[in-house]
Each structure stands twice: as C-alpha cells, then as structure tokens.
Amino acid sequence: MRARLNQFPRISYGPLPTPLEPLSRLTRQLAGPQVWVKRDDGIGPGMGGNKGRKLGFLLAEVLAQGKRKVATFGGLQSNHARMTAAACAGLGLEAHLFLFEKRPSSLQGNLLLDQLFGAKLHFIPFGGGGDASMTLEQTNRLVKLVARAVAGRSLYFMPVGGHTVTGCLGYVDAALELQEQVAALGLEKVALVTAVGTGGTLAGLMAGFHLLQSPIRLLGIDIGKLWKAFPASIARLASELCAALGEPHTFAPADVPMIEGTYAGPGYSVFTEDTAVAIRTLARTEGIILDPVYTGKAFAGLLDLIRQGAFAPDETVIFLHTGGLPGLWAYEQELSG
Ligand SMILES: Cc1ncc(COP(=O)(O)O)c(C=O)c1O
C-alpha cells in the first residue's frame, strides 16, 4: 500500500510517524481498558492537527495544477482553515477563508492565527449550516460558487475539512502508520477512536484498515450534527479512496462506524460541561490538552463509553488526538474555573 500511496505527490508535513503513547495514569483512574493516545496534534503546519496529513496531499495537488490561490471554508474556529492558511503562507499562495458567521469584534484563537498567516478572511453572516439541512456535498458546491465569484481566477477550491479523495489519502497513510506501530508494540485487540467533523479522517481510516485487512476496530464520534445523510457521504468517500488506490470496494452507509449525534451536545462548537470535564481529566492525569470543539467532545464520548463498559478490560483503546488547540483561546471563559 505504501507504494500505491507514493504514486501521489505529497508535501511532507510532520513530524511523522506521530507518537503512540500509553496513558497509564488515566488508565489506572478509569479501571477499564488500556487507554493510549496517537499524537496527530503535533503535525504541522501552523500549530498542528489532523489537517496536516490531508494538506500534504492537497497542497501538492495545488502546486501540480499551477494554481496561485486556495479557497476553503469552515466555522469561525476552523482548524482546517487555519492550517490551510499556514500551508499557503509557506508556499507563497493566497489563502481565501470563507467563514459563515458575522465578523467577531476581536479575532481570537484560530482567527487570530488566520490573520497572522496573511489569509484573506471573508465573513458571510448567513447560511452557516449547523442545522443539517444540506449534505456536505451540496454545501461544498454552494460555497465553491461563492468562492469563485469572490476570489476570481486560478483558484483551487478545497472542500470543508479537506474532504476529498486527495486529502483523505493522508488518513489512509495514517492507517498504515498506526498498523505498523501496533504490530511493532505487539498490541492486540485494538480500537481506534476519533472525532468526526467532516468525516474525512474516518473515511481515510476506514479505507486504509479495509485495504490492510487490519483487525483494528474503528469508532468515530460525531461532534457536530452538521450534515444531512452524513454516513452516506463518508461511505462514498471511503469507497472512492479504495478505487483510487486500485482496489475498488463499496462501503454502505451502515458500514460507517460512527456514533452520530449522541455526544455532539446542542450542536457544532457549542460548548458543553461534559467537554470541560473531559479536557480537565486528560490535562490533570496526563498533562495533555484537548480542544473544546472536536477532541474534547469526542474524548467526553470516549469516557462515557468506557464508563458504560463498551470496551473489554483486555482491549487497548487508542484515542486519535487530532489537534485543534488554538480553539482553546476562544473558550477562555468556559474553561476557566
Ligand atoms: C481538531 C480537529 N479534530 C477532528 C476533526 C475532524 O476531522 P474530519 O473533518 O476529518 O472529520 C477536525 C476537523 O474537522 C479538527 O479540526
């Protein structure tokens, strides 16, 4: 599979492989399965996160197509937008970020970084989604039209979260990396848990584990209730990834291993008390920080599942830390105390 992945151009953002570490103090406290963490929060550019794996393939495609401008979109605290802005700055490209909310009075967290990276910020205070009235694909088509109209020619449009075959090759690659680490450590009965926002990380891992015939059990935790017919979108992308890598396989929506809605709280980016508890728990047992929008919510879900006995005591549960830390500084009030 490595040879097949290497056929696609890529810029190397790293450092890779990311560490896979046991969380011994947390495991003792929970008295359930062994809990480990995979540190994708350390992948660059621009202060890290899962989007680095996707952007490596996406930005290589931008350069191969000779485009000078990149447009993408997301919520105000989009980590994907922030890392796209950083990657573009490093390559001398113009980044256009479409943020479907009113411009806040001060730019905090990811927004502050977007500005530091020199991205052009387009605040559009309507149609921000979050009500799951459109599919992810419909939303992308609509924003692409807006981006073309605003940013003009020579534009590479990147769907929300880098949700494309090219981008999500990054998480097929991650599946291979993790499989090798798990084998080298001799870990058995392994489950991997990840936050799901646009679903590309989950789709890449689904395709990767399928192609590797990996025994690793995969579980995604939806953090936003963002999209209509979301499992169908993830299944389609995972199927397209298998085809792109030369081994067609069709995933059905029911094959998508995702808990949808249960742990999303009132909605995307709406802070919950469970998230605060999860962030404090990991911070105080292991000195590792989670973010308030994605990893904190997903980790709260994981803690609940462990409490409910969803994992056997002899299982090893790996939490994929997908980053997002700059978002902390947009939630100072909620987290202090
Ligand atoms: C920090 C963080 N974790 C997880 C995710 C979810 O990844 P995906 O969009 O591939 O589902 C995102 C982005 O959406 C993110 O920024």
Side-chain angles (χ1 to χ4, degrees), residues 50-51 54 79-80 161 195-201 291 294-295 322-324:
N50 62 337
K51 298 306 180 297
K54 299 185 188 179
N79 300 294
H80 164 68
V196 177
T198 63
T201 300
D291 84 284
Y294 297 93
T295 53
T322 43

Side-chain angles (χ1 to χ4, degrees), residues 300-314:
L302 173 59
L303 291 178
D304 185 57
L305 291 168
I306 291 175
R307 270 193 301 271
Q308 286 181 34
F311 301 97
D314 62 344

Side-chain angles (χ1 to χ4, degrees), residues 291-333:
D291 84 284
V293 178
Y294 297 93
T295 53
K297 255 188 196 173
F299 201 75
L302 173 59
L303 291 178
D304 185 57
L305 291 168
I306 291 175
R307 270 193 301 271
Q308 286 181 34
F311 301 97
D314 62 344
E315 263 187 291
T316 298
V317 181
I318 300 171
F319 182 73
L320 182 63
H321 193 332
T322 43
L325 299 186
L328 270 182
W329 283 275
Y331 289 82
E332 259 178 43
Q333 276 184 352

Side-chain angles (χ1 to χ4, degrees), residues 18-54:
T18 57
L20 176 60
E21 299 165 346
L23 300 177
S24 316
R25 279 173 42 78
L26 181 75
T27 297
R28 268 200 303 281
Q29 180 174 313
L30 297 176
Q34 299 292 315
V35 188
W36 289 56
V37 63
K38 170 100 174 127
R39 301 297 304 265
D40 277 15
D41 53 321
I43 303 173
M47 292 190 75
N50 62 337
K51 298 306 180 297
R53 289 195 193 262
K54 299 185 188 179

Side-chain angles (χ1 to χ4, degrees), residues 52-87:
R53 289 195 193 262
K54 299 185 188 179
L55 288 167
F57 285 96
L58 287 164
L59 267 299
E61 190 168 81
V62 175
L63 296 185
Q65 293 181 5
K67 299 282 169 67
R68 303 304 308 156
K69 297 177 194 168
V70 174
T72 196
F73 69 103
L76 283 185
Q77 287 302 320
S78 168
N79 300 294
H80 164 68
R82 176 249 310 167
M83 293 185 71
T84 302

